[in-house]
Short mmCIF file of all heavy atoms in Angstrom, two decimals:
data_model
loop_
_atom_site.label_atom_id
_atom_site.label_comp_id
_atom_site.label_asym_id
_atom_site.label_seq_id
_atom_site.Cartn_x
_atom_site.Cartn_y
_atom_site.Cartn_z
N GLY X 181 0.82 -1.20 0.00
CA GLY X 181 0.00 0.00 0.00
C GLY X 181 0.86 1.25 0.00
O GLY X 181 1.98 1.25 0.51
N GLU X 182 0.32 2.32 -0.57
CA GLU X 182 1.01 3.60 -0.58
C GLU X 182 0.03 4.71 -0.22
O GLU X 182 -1.12 4.71 -0.67
CB GLU X 182 1.63 3.90 -1.95
CG GLU X 182 2.70 2.89 -2.34
CD GLU X 182 3.35 3.19 -3.69
OE1 GLU X 182 3.07 4.28 -4.25
OE2 GLU X 182 4.11 2.33 -4.18
N GLY X 183 0.48 5.63 0.63
CA GLY X 183 -0.34 6.75 1.04
C GLY X 183 0.53 7.97 1.23
O GLY X 183 1.76 7.88 1.27
N ALA X 184 -0.10 9.13 1.37
CA ALA X 184 0.69 10.35 1.44
C ALA X 184 -0.11 11.50 2.00
O ALA X 184 -1.35 11.45 2.06
CB ALA X 184 1.20 10.73 0.04
N TYR X 185 0.61 12.53 2.39
CA TYR X 185 0.03 13.86 2.54
C TYR X 185 0.95 14.78 1.75
O TYR X 185 1.99 15.22 2.23
CB TYR X 185 -0.04 14.29 4.00
CG TYR X 185 -0.73 15.63 4.18
CD1 TYR X 185 -2.09 15.76 3.94
CD2 TYR X 185 -0.01 16.75 4.56
CE1 TYR X 185 -2.73 16.98 4.10
CE2 TYR X 185 -0.64 17.98 4.73
CZ TYR X 185 -1.99 18.09 4.49
OH TYR X 185 -2.62 19.31 4.64
N ILE X 186 0.57 15.03 0.51
CA ILE X 186 1.30 15.93 -0.38
C ILE X 186 0.39 17.12 -0.63
O ILE X 186 -0.64 17.00 -1.31
CB ILE X 186 1.70 15.23 -1.69
CG1 ILE X 186 2.65 14.07 -1.39
CG2 ILE X 186 2.33 16.21 -2.67
CD1 ILE X 186 2.94 13.17 -2.59
N HIS X 187 0.73 18.24 -0.02
CA HIS X 187 -0.18 19.39 -0.02
C HIS X 187 0.66 20.66 0.12
O HIS X 187 1.27 20.89 1.16
CB HIS X 187 -1.16 19.27 1.14
CG HIS X 187 -2.28 20.27 1.10
ND1 HIS X 187 -3.21 20.37 2.11
CD2 HIS X 187 -2.62 21.20 0.19
CE1 HIS X 187 -4.07 21.32 1.81
NE2 HIS X 187 -3.74 21.85 0.65
N ASP X 188 0.69 21.46 -0.91
CA ASP X 188 1.45 22.71 -0.87
C ASP X 188 0.75 23.68 0.08
O ASP X 188 -0.29 24.25 -0.24
CB ASP X 188 1.53 23.30 -2.27
CG ASP X 188 2.38 24.57 -2.33
OD1 ASP X 188 2.94 24.96 -1.28
OD2 ASP X 188 2.46 25.18 -3.41
N LEU X 189 1.34 23.87 1.27
CA LEU X 189 0.72 24.70 2.31
C LEU X 189 1.28 26.13 2.33
O LEU X 189 1.12 26.83 3.34
CB LEU X 189 0.94 24.06 3.69
CG LEU X 189 0.25 22.73 3.95
CD1 LEU X 189 0.56 22.25 5.36
CD2 LEU X 189 -1.26 22.84 3.76
N ASP X 190 1.90 26.57 1.25
CA ASP X 190 2.54 27.88 1.24
C ASP X 190 1.58 28.98 1.70
O ASP X 190 1.93 29.81 2.54
CB ASP X 190 3.07 28.19 -0.16
CG ASP X 190 3.84 29.49 -0.21
OD1 ASP X 190 5.05 29.48 0.07
OD2 ASP X 190 3.23 30.54 -0.53
N TYR X 191 0.38 28.99 1.16
CA TYR X 191 -0.58 30.04 1.52
C TYR X 191 -0.89 30.02 3.01
O TYR X 191 -0.91 31.05 3.68
CB TYR X 191 -1.88 29.87 0.72
CG TYR X 191 -3.00 30.76 1.22
CD1 TYR X 191 -3.05 32.11 0.88
CD2 TYR X 191 -4.00 30.24 2.05
CE1 TYR X 191 -4.07 32.92 1.36
CE2 TYR X 191 -5.01 31.05 2.54
CZ TYR X 191 -5.04 32.40 2.19
OH TYR X 191 -6.04 33.19 2.68
N TRP X 192 -1.10 28.83 3.56
CA TRP X 192 -1.50 28.72 4.95
C TRP X 192 -0.32 28.97 5.89
O TRP X 192 -0.47 29.62 6.93
CB TRP X 192 -2.10 27.33 5.21
CG TRP X 192 -3.41 27.15 4.53
CD1 TRP X 192 -4.65 27.47 5.00
CD2 TRP X 192 -3.62 26.62 3.23
NE1 TRP X 192 -5.63 27.18 4.07
CE2 TRP X 192 -5.01 26.64 2.96
CE3 TRP X 192 -2.76 26.12 2.23
CZ2 TRP X 192 -5.57 26.18 1.78
CZ3 TRP X 192 -3.32 25.67 1.04
CH2 TRP X 192 -4.70 25.70 0.82
N LEU X 193 0.85 28.47 5.54
CA LEU X 193 2.01 28.65 6.40
C LEU X 193 2.39 30.12 6.54
O LEU X 193 2.86 30.56 7.60
CB LEU X 193 3.21 27.87 5.86
CG LEU X 193 3.14 26.35 5.96
CD1 LEU X 193 4.35 25.72 5.26
CD2 LEU X 193 3.09 25.90 7.42
N PHE X 194 2.16 30.89 5.48
CA PHE X 194 2.55 32.30 5.51
C PHE X 194 1.35 33.24 5.72
O PHE X 194 1.47 34.45 5.54
CB PHE X 194 3.30 32.66 4.22
CG PHE X 194 4.65 32.01 4.14
CD1 PHE X 194 4.84 30.85 3.40
CD2 PHE X 194 5.73 32.53 4.84
CE1 PHE X 194 6.08 30.24 3.34
CE2 PHE X 194 6.97 31.92 4.79
CZ PHE X 194 7.15 30.78 4.04
N ASN X 195 0.22 32.67 6.11
CA ASN X 195 -0.97 33.48 6.43
C ASN X 195 -0.82 33.95 7.87
O ASN X 195 -1.29 33.31 8.81
CB ASN X 195 -2.23 32.64 6.24
CG ASN X 195 -3.50 33.44 6.42
OD1 ASN X 195 -3.47 34.58 6.88
ND2 ASN X 195 -4.61 32.83 6.07
N LYS X 196 -0.16 35.05 8.06
CA LYS X 196 0.24 35.50 9.40
C LYS X 196 -0.95 36.07 10.17
O LYS X 196 -1.94 36.53 9.59
CB LYS X 196 1.34 36.54 9.31
CG LYS X 196 0.86 37.90 8.80
CD LYS X 196 1.96 38.94 8.92
CE LYS X 196 1.42 40.34 8.59
NZ LYS X 196 2.43 41.38 8.78
N PRO X 197 -0.87 36.06 11.50
CA PRO X 197 -1.90 36.69 12.33
C PRO X 197 -1.96 38.19 12.08
O PRO X 197 -0.96 38.83 11.77
CB PRO X 197 -1.44 36.38 13.76
CG PRO X 197 -0.52 35.23 13.63
CD PRO X 197 0.15 35.39 12.30
N LYS X 198 -3.15 38.74 12.28
CA LYS X 198 -3.34 40.16 12.04
C LYS X 198 -3.36 40.97 13.33
O LYS X 198 -3.32 42.19 13.30
CB LYS X 198 -4.65 40.39 11.28
CG LYS X 198 -4.68 39.74 9.90
CD LYS X 198 -6.01 39.97 9.22
CE LYS X 198 -6.02 39.35 7.81
NZ LYS X 198 -5.86 37.90 7.83
N ASP X 199 -3.44 40.29 14.48
CA ASP X 199 -3.47 41.03 15.74
C ASP X 199 -2.20 40.77 16.54
O ASP X 199 -1.43 39.84 16.26
CB ASP X 199 -4.71 40.69 16.56
CG ASP X 199 -4.76 39.23 17.00
OD1 ASP X 199 -3.76 38.51 16.81
OD2 ASP X 199 -5.79 38.81 17.52
N GLU X 200 -1.96 41.58 17.53
CA GLU X 200 -0.73 41.49 18.31
C GLU X 200 -0.63 40.21 19.13
O GLU X 200 0.45 39.74 19.46
CB GLU X 200 -0.62 42.71 19.24
CG GLU X 200 -0.41 44.03 18.49
CD GLU X 200 -0.25 45.20 19.44
OE1 GLU X 200 -0.36 44.98 20.67
OE2 GLU X 200 -0.04 46.33 18.96
N LYS X 201 -1.78 39.62 19.49
CA LYS X 201 -1.79 38.40 20.28
C LYS X 201 -1.55 37.16 19.42
O LYS X 201 -1.52 36.05 19.93
CB LYS X 201 -3.11 38.27 21.04
CG LYS X 201 -3.33 39.35 22.08
CD LYS X 201 -4.64 39.14 22.82
CE LYS X 201 -4.87 40.20 23.88
NZ LYS X 201 -6.15 40.01 24.60
N MET X 202 -1.44 37.37 18.11
CA MET X 202 -1.21 36.26 17.17
C MET X 202 -2.32 35.22 17.28
O MET X 202 -2.09 34.01 17.22
CB MET X 202 0.15 35.60 17.40
CG MET X 202 1.33 36.54 17.17
SD MET X 202 2.92 35.72 17.39
CE MET X 202 2.91 34.59 16.00
N SER X 203 -3.55 35.68 17.46
CA SER X 203 -4.65 34.77 17.74
C SER X 203 -5.48 34.42 16.51
O SER X 203 -6.41 33.63 16.60
CB SER X 203 -5.57 35.37 18.81
OG SER X 203 -6.14 36.59 18.35
N ASP X 204 -5.17 35.04 15.36
CA ASP X 204 -5.90 34.65 14.16
C ASP X 204 -4.89 34.12 13.14
O ASP X 204 -3.85 33.59 13.50
CB ASP X 204 -6.73 35.82 13.63
CG ASP X 204 -5.87 37.04 13.30
OD1 ASP X 204 -4.64 36.98 13.51
OD2 ASP X 204 -6.43 38.05 12.83
N GLY X 205 -5.19 34.28 11.86
CA GLY X 205 -4.32 33.66 10.85
C GLY X 205 -4.68 32.20 10.67
O GLY X 205 -5.52 31.65 11.40
N ALA X 206 -4.06 31.57 9.70
CA ALA X 206 -4.39 30.17 9.42
C ALA X 206 -4.01 29.27 10.59
O ALA X 206 -4.74 28.33 10.92
CB ALA X 206 -3.69 29.72 8.15
N TYR X 207 -2.85 29.53 11.21
CA TYR X 207 -2.39 28.73 12.34
C TYR X 207 -2.07 29.67 13.49
O TYR X 207 -1.11 30.45 13.43
CB TYR X 207 -1.14 27.91 11.96
CG TYR X 207 -1.38 26.93 10.83
CD1 TYR X 207 -0.80 27.13 9.58
CD2 TYR X 207 -2.19 25.81 11.01
CE1 TYR X 207 -1.02 26.24 8.53
CE2 TYR X 207 -2.41 24.92 9.97
CZ TYR X 207 -1.83 25.14 8.74
OH TYR X 207 -2.04 24.25 7.72
N THR X 208 -2.88 29.62 14.54
CA THR X 208 -2.71 30.51 15.68
C THR X 208 -1.27 30.48 16.19
O THR X 208 -0.70 29.41 16.40
CB THR X 208 -3.67 30.10 16.82
OG1 THR X 208 -5.01 30.16 16.31
CG2 THR X 208 -3.55 31.05 17.99
N LYS X 209 -0.70 31.67 16.37
CA LYS X 209 0.68 31.82 16.85
C LYS X 209 1.70 31.16 15.93
O LYS X 209 2.81 30.85 16.33
CB LYS X 209 0.83 31.30 18.28
CG LYS X 209 -0.05 32.02 19.30
CD LYS X 209 0.19 31.47 20.69
CE LYS X 209 -0.70 32.19 21.70
NZ LYS X 209 -0.48 31.66 23.08
N MET X 210 1.28 30.93 14.65
CA MET X 210 2.18 30.36 13.64
C MET X 210 2.70 28.98 14.05
O MET X 210 3.81 28.56 13.69
CB MET X 210 3.37 31.29 13.38
CG MET X 210 2.98 32.66 12.87
SD MET X 210 2.23 32.65 11.22
CE MET X 210 3.65 32.28 10.19
N TRP X 211 1.88 28.21 14.76
CA TRP X 211 2.36 26.95 15.33
C TRP X 211 2.81 25.96 14.26
O TRP X 211 3.77 25.21 14.45
CB TRP X 211 1.31 26.33 16.24
CG TRP X 211 0.05 25.86 15.57
CD1 TRP X 211 -1.11 26.56 15.44
CD2 TRP X 211 -0.20 24.59 14.98
NE1 TRP X 211 -2.06 25.82 14.77
CE2 TRP X 211 -1.52 24.60 14.49
CE3 TRP X 211 0.58 23.44 14.82
CZ2 TRP X 211 -2.09 23.50 13.85
CZ3 TRP X 211 0.01 22.34 14.16
CH2 TRP X 211 -1.31 22.38 13.69
N ARG X 212 2.15 25.95 13.12
CA ARG X 212 2.50 24.96 12.09
C ARG X 212 3.88 25.25 11.50
O ARG X 212 4.61 24.33 11.12
CB ARG X 212 1.43 24.93 11.00
CG ARG X 212 1.58 23.81 9.97
CD ARG X 212 0.98 22.52 10.44
NE ARG X 212 1.08 21.45 9.45
CZ ARG X 212 0.04 20.85 8.85
NH1 ARG X 212 -1.18 21.24 9.14
NH2 ARG X 212 0.21 19.86 8.01
N MET X 213 4.23 26.54 11.39
CA MET X 213 5.56 26.87 10.89
C MET X 213 6.64 26.33 11.83
O MET X 213 7.64 25.77 11.40
CB MET X 213 5.72 28.38 10.73
CG MET X 213 7.06 28.79 10.13
SD MET X 213 7.26 28.33 8.40
CE MET X 213 6.45 29.74 7.63
N TYR X 214 6.42 26.49 13.12
CA TYR X 214 7.39 25.98 14.09
C TYR X 214 7.50 24.45 14.01
O TYR X 214 8.59 23.90 14.21
CB TYR X 214 7.00 26.41 15.51
CG TYR X 214 7.24 27.88 15.78
CD1 TYR X 214 6.17 28.76 15.84
CD2 TYR X 214 8.52 28.38 15.97
CE1 TYR X 214 6.37 30.12 16.09
CE2 TYR X 214 8.74 29.73 16.21
CZ TYR X 214 7.66 30.60 16.27
OH TYR X 214 7.87 31.93 16.51
N GLU X 215 6.40 23.78 13.73
CA GLU X 215 6.45 22.31 13.62
C GLU X 215 7.34 21.87 12.46
O GLU X 215 7.88 20.77 12.47
CB GLU X 215 5.04 21.74 13.44
CG GLU X 215 4.12 21.88 14.65
CD GLU X 215 4.49 20.96 15.79
OE1 GLU X 215 5.39 20.10 15.62
OE2 GLU X 215 3.87 21.09 16.87
N ASN X 216 7.49 22.74 11.46
CA ASN X 216 8.32 22.39 10.31
C ASN X 216 9.81 22.43 10.60
O ASN X 216 10.63 22.12 9.73
CB ASN X 216 8.00 23.30 9.12
CG ASN X 216 6.75 22.86 8.38
OD1 ASN X 216 6.51 21.67 8.20
ND2 ASN X 216 5.94 23.82 7.98
N GLU X 217 10.18 22.78 11.83
CA GLU X 217 11.59 22.68 12.21
C GLU X 217 11.97 21.25 12.59
O GLU X 217 13.15 20.95 12.79
CB GLU X 217 11.86 23.61 13.39
CG GLU X 217 11.72 25.09 13.08
CD GLU X 217 12.01 25.97 14.28
OE1 GLU X 217 13.09 25.81 14.87
OE2 GLU X 217 11.14 26.79 14.65
N ARG X 218 10.99 20.38 12.66
CA ARG X 218 11.24 19.00 13.09
C ARG X 218 11.54 18.13 11.88
O ARG X 218 10.76 18.08 10.92
CB ARG X 218 10.02 18.46 13.84
CG ARG X 218 10.28 17.16 14.55
CD ARG X 218 9.11 16.79 15.44
NE ARG X 218 9.41 15.60 16.21
CZ ARG X 218 8.55 14.98 17.00
NH1 ARG X 218 7.33 15.47 17.15
NH2 ARG X 218 8.90 13.89 17.66
N MET X 219 12.65 17.42 11.91
CA MET X 219 13.05 16.57 10.78
C MET X 219 12.36 15.22 10.89
O MET X 219 12.95 14.20 11.29
CB MET X 219 14.57 16.41 10.76
CG MET X 219 15.32 17.73 10.71
SD MET X 219 14.88 18.69 9.24
CE MET X 219 15.10 20.36 9.87
#
């Protein structure tokens, strides 16, 4: 069997919060970007 998650997330990863608390945007506090530091 073969499976995947192949999904260009450029728009979502760089959809930054609009308020100072970083509470909106695609990923609150940019958490998904930080997860991409994991190999």
Side-chain angles (χ1 to χ4, degrees):
E182 297 181 9
Y185 184 69
I186 297 171
H187 190 184
D188 183 3
L189 294 181
D190 184 86
Y191 169 79
W192 292 273
L193 289 175
F194 291 99
N195 186 349
K196 72 172 188 177
K198 298 179 179 63
D199 64 9
E200 293 182 357
K201 295 182 179 180
M202 297 182 68
S203 62
D204 59 358
Y207 299 111
T208 302
K209 299 182 180 180
M210 300 293 288
W211 66 266
R212 188 84 178 244
M213 184 69 85
Y214 287 105
E215 293 288 353
N216 279 321
E217 294 180 54
R218 192 172 185 185
M219 304 300 150

